[in-house]
Amino acid sequence: MTPAPHPSHPSHPSHPSHRSHTDDLLTFIRASPSPYHAVASAIQRLEKAGFRELRGTDDWTGTTGGSFVARGGALIAWYVPEDAPAHTPFRIIGTHTDSPNLRIKPTPDTGSAGWRQIAVEIYGGVPLNTWLDRDLGVSGRLALRGPGGTTESRLVQIDEPLLRVPQLAIHLDRSVNEGLALDRQRHVAPLWALGAPEEGALLRRVAAAAEVDPDEVLGWDLMLHDIQPPGYLGAEREFVVSSRLDNLVSVHAGVTALAGAATGAERPSYIPVLAAFDHEEVGSVSETGAQSPMLERVLGRSVTARGGSSEDWSRAVSGAFCVSADMAHAVHPNYAERHDPDHHPLPNGGPTIKVNVNQRYATDSTGMAVFAAACERAGAPWQPFVSNNAMPCGTSIGPLTAARLGVATVDVGVPGLSMHSARELCGADDPAYLAAILGAFVTSG
């Protein structure tokens, strides 16, 4: 199988289904400024498709149809057709919900030189300069005191220009264009008011937005987000520009594919699964990351809940396959020498199949063939990607999932520019291509 030819110029999203999908993606991103919001947005769409939540303490016996397990910023969802044998193989879409950003420290109220500021910690591989001079809001979750000594979570989202990390004026740094050096402790604390720091001021503002009493807040996982909404860009609106394209493009495509498998006329030949993990940007080592046993436990229980044995579980995993969907690098026109000279993915040419023989990506020829066949069934193009030998290669959850479950895995992704920046770019057609391919992958072939 051969990839689609590289387009001489990017196409624009002329197909109505492409534009409809991308419009919905922009809505999804805007509603998902944190991993916890991304999970809530995904659940909203899955519940409309008939999925229901299962908790770890529930009895799962006999469950079929669409189910999901949510834990913090992670979501595992799957669909079991009626009368599917317990040994039916899984078709897994692996993604992650988190993005590099600035996260608020436990004691946040600080300041300097008559300014009130917020103390932040840097999460993941952040190009810090992209967070300068942007209007920033606050989002995440609050841990609240519940009845009888219990705790509960409440999402919060402040889409107002509340904070800003100001860049030093060029008059005070004439060499800024020769190389900007930002101190991660001193230079990225956003300002939000004048005066002396007030202990508890941020908590009061956030609690008010969440409509809770500050005294009920026992802890938080809060982060900053750029409040500029996602949108289209280009001569013919052929690009999407937004925060968190890495990796909400893939999460949204996976949700779309799984919901389609559950509601479509074609009965899936497999058990379609969406695994959206948290903490990929910092190594996936957490209870909700790809290195945790979360996916393995959920899939194992789904087998035994239908009366399956350990033999059935082994058969289901042995016949399983995983597509790890994350963003990929499009060739950068100003830095083409940083890319492999024979692999120049472009936006709107379809998702890439990512290859690295040192197993930074899990793709091999078998995985490439499975994904390419799904592209053919979906009528969608694809492009190969490999890094320049002189440049370090990134990675994703693909190798982690392959090693954890012993499941054949292929790494793929929509190509874009400015990965990990506060605002990224991809083709407006590619998200729909990815969703269609994933739909074909989980249902047949």
Side-chain angles (χ1 to χ4, degrees):
M1 299 178 182
T2 57
H6 289 208
S8 59
H9 58 83
S11 63
H12 60 86
S14 57
H15 196 289
S17 64
H18 289 191
R19 178 54 63 93
S20 176
H21 177 90
T22 306
D23 286 345
D24 188 63
L25 168 64
L26 302 190
T27 300
F28 181 86
I29 292 174
R30 191 165 188 173
S32 308
S34 77
Y36 318 109
H37 288 82
V39 168
S41 298
I43 288 173
Q44 184 181 50
R45 285 164 167 74
L46 290 175
E47 287 181 335
K48 287 183 179 179
F51 285 69
R52 63 188 182 93
E53 182 173 12
L54 294 177
R55 301 183 185 276
T57 54
D58 293 340
D59 182 356
W60 294 11
T61 302
T63 54
T64 58
S67 305
F68 65 87
V69 171
R71 184 185 300 166
L75 174 72
I76 309 296
W78 66 101
Y79 176 74
V80 179
E82 290 289 341
D83 301 323
H87 61 264
T88 304
F90 300 106
R91 279 288 173 100
I92 304 166
I93 302 168
T95 65
H96 66 89
T97 61
D98 60 319
S99 301
N101 60 12
L102 306 180
R103 303 212 170 186
I104 296 174
K105 291 183 176 181
T107 303
D109 298 293
T110 187
S112 176
W115 293 89
R116 289 164 57 190
Q117 295 172 279
I118 299 301
V120 296
E121 191 172 4
I122 298 164
Y123 178 86
V126 180
L128 292 176
N129 63 298
T130 68
W131 284 80
L132 301 178
D133 297 333
R134 291 187 177 273
D135 299 333
L136 304 174
V138 175
S139 59
R141 65 176 178 177
L142 304 175
L144 308 177
R145 181 181 289 107
T150 62
T151 60
E152 56 187 47
S153 292
R154 178 75 61 87
L155 297 185
V156 62
Q157 181 172 346
I158 302 177
D159 285 326
E160 301 174 16
L162 188 63
L163 305 107
R164 184 180 179 90
V165 183
Q167 184 165 221
L168 186 64
I170 193 170
H171 312 76
L172 305 178
D173 183 7
R174 297 290 184 178
S175 64
V176 64
N177 290 325
E178 298 170 17
L180 176 64
L182 295 174
D183 185 285
R184 295 165 68 90
Q185 179 66 27
R186 296 184 296 118
H187 294 158
V188 296
L191 59 85
W192 74 314
L194 291 170
E198 296 181 17
E199 184 178 356
L202 179 68
L203 174 58
R204 290 192 293 273
R205 183 62 176 269
V206 172
E211 300 182 336
V212 299
D213 189 317
D215 292 337
E216 298 301 308
V217 179
L218 301 177
W220 63 61
D221 299 290
L222 296 174
M223 58 204 70
L224 309 187
H225 66 274
D226 183 0
I227 66 168
Q228 184 177 1
Y232 293 97
L233 178 142
E236 298 184 70
R237 291 163 55 89
E238 62 261 48
F239 307 117
V240 165
V241 284
S242 176
S243 302
R244 304 179 300 281
L245 293 179
D246 178 17
N247 188 30
L248 294 188
V249 167
S250 302
V251 175
H252 179 261
V255 170
T256 302
L258 184 60
T263 59
E266 182 181 0
R267 184 181 187 273
S269 304
Y270 305 93
I271 305 297
V273 180
L274 171 66
F277 297 105
D278 199 356
H279 302 127
E280 188 272 347
E281 299 293 357
V282 292
S284 299
V285 185
S286 72
E287 66 167 322
T288 52
Q291 294 202 54
S292 77
M294 184 178 179
L295 176 60
E296 183 178 4
R297 289 176 178 174
V298 168
L299 297 185
R301 285 191 67 179
S302 75
V303 170
T304 58
R306 291 177 284 129
S309 62
S310 60
E311 178 69 12
D312 290 316
W313 162 248
S314 295
R315 292 174 68 186
V317 173
S318 295
F321 200 94
C322 176
V323 169
S324 167
D326 204 345
M327 289 294 286
H329 297 294
V331 62
H332 196 302
N334 298 338
Y335 302 91
E337 73 280 359
R338 300 293 184 99
H339 301 265
D340 184 86
D342 300 314
H343 296 80
H344 282 182
L346 285 171
N348 295 324
T352 68
I353 299 179
K354 299 188 280 189
V355 176
N356 180 265
V357 296
N358 295 301
Q359 293 301 295
R360 299 292 285 172
Y361 302 127
T363 306
D364 62 10
S365 60
T366 301
M368 184 176 289
V370 169
F371 190 77
C375 292
E376 288 184 356
R377 293 195 299 276
W382 64 274
Q383 306 174 76
F385 172 84
V386 66
S387 293
N388 185 310
N389 289 343
M391 303 295 296
C393 180
T395 190
S396 189
I397 65 164
L400 302 178
T401 305
R404 176 84 205 185
L405 291 179
V407 169
T409 302
V410 57
D411 275 286
V412 307
V414 165
L417 298 179
S418 307
M419 190 186 296
H420 286 195
S421 291
R423 198 160 175 87
E424 301 163 320
L425 176 148
C426 74
D429 278 343
D430 288 329
Y433 283 142
L434 178 62
I437 295 163
L438 295 179
F441 165 72
V442 296
T443 55
S444 62

